[in-house]
Amino acid sequence: MGKGLLHFLVPGQNAQRVLTVESTLYLPQLHRLLPNAELYAVTQYEEVPKLPQFSSLPVTWAVINQHEAGLPYAKGFFDLIVAENCLETSADPLETATNLGACLKDTGQ
């Protein structure tokens, strides 16, 4: 897998908390690029956290449908959010973008 959305990240960047939303394929590469970051992942599929490619990664999982339940995180909690197809799968992309943005720190990406 190429860098895709991670193309603009600087390895070792000072991202302390990173969230992926239905973008779990980025987790191994995020861990390599940002080895000191706390990784969080949202997926609606219960089997995803059990997949072998994620077993050795330090990820805090939330298995929810974030379009229905919203994100279970405090305002301004994340430095970086990777949500590759999140807006495409949303019935209300504006609300989804607003919810994602609320979880980002003012200096987040």
Side-chain angles (χ1 to χ4, degrees):
M1 176 166 134
K3 278 192 174 182
L5 292 178
L6 305 184
H7 176 72
F8 299 102
L9 286 183
V10 176
Q13 183 175 342
N14 197 22
Q16 297 171 356
R17 291 187 189 122
V18 177
L19 172 66
T20 65
V21 180
E22 298 299 346
S23 298
T24 55
L25 291 176
Y26 286 101
L27 287 168
Q29 196 169 12
L30 280 165
H31 183 59
R32 282 190 300 279
L33 290 169
L34 307 169
N36 297 320
E38 294 175 31
L39 298 177
Y40 294 79
V42 170
T43 180
Q44 62 183 322
Y45 304 103
E46 291 181 20
E47 62 276 6
V48 170
K50 299 171 189 166
L51 293 173
Q53 62 263 43
F54 306 126
S55 64
S56 66
L57 298 178
V59 179
T60 301
W61 294 92
V63 180
I64 58 169
N65 181 333
Q66 62 92 20
H67 293 302
E68 294 175 5
L71 294 171
Y73 305 106
K75 182 178 179 180
F77 189 72
F78 293 104
D79 299 288
L80 173 69
I81 297 176
V82 178
E84 187 168 40
N85 296 316
C86 194
L87 297 179
E88 294 173 13
T89 60
S90 174
D92 188 347
L94 180 58
E95 180 180 346
T96 299
T98 300
N99 291 337
L100 289 170
C103 290
L104 272 175
K105 292 180 181 178
D106 290 340
T107 57
Q109 309 178 43

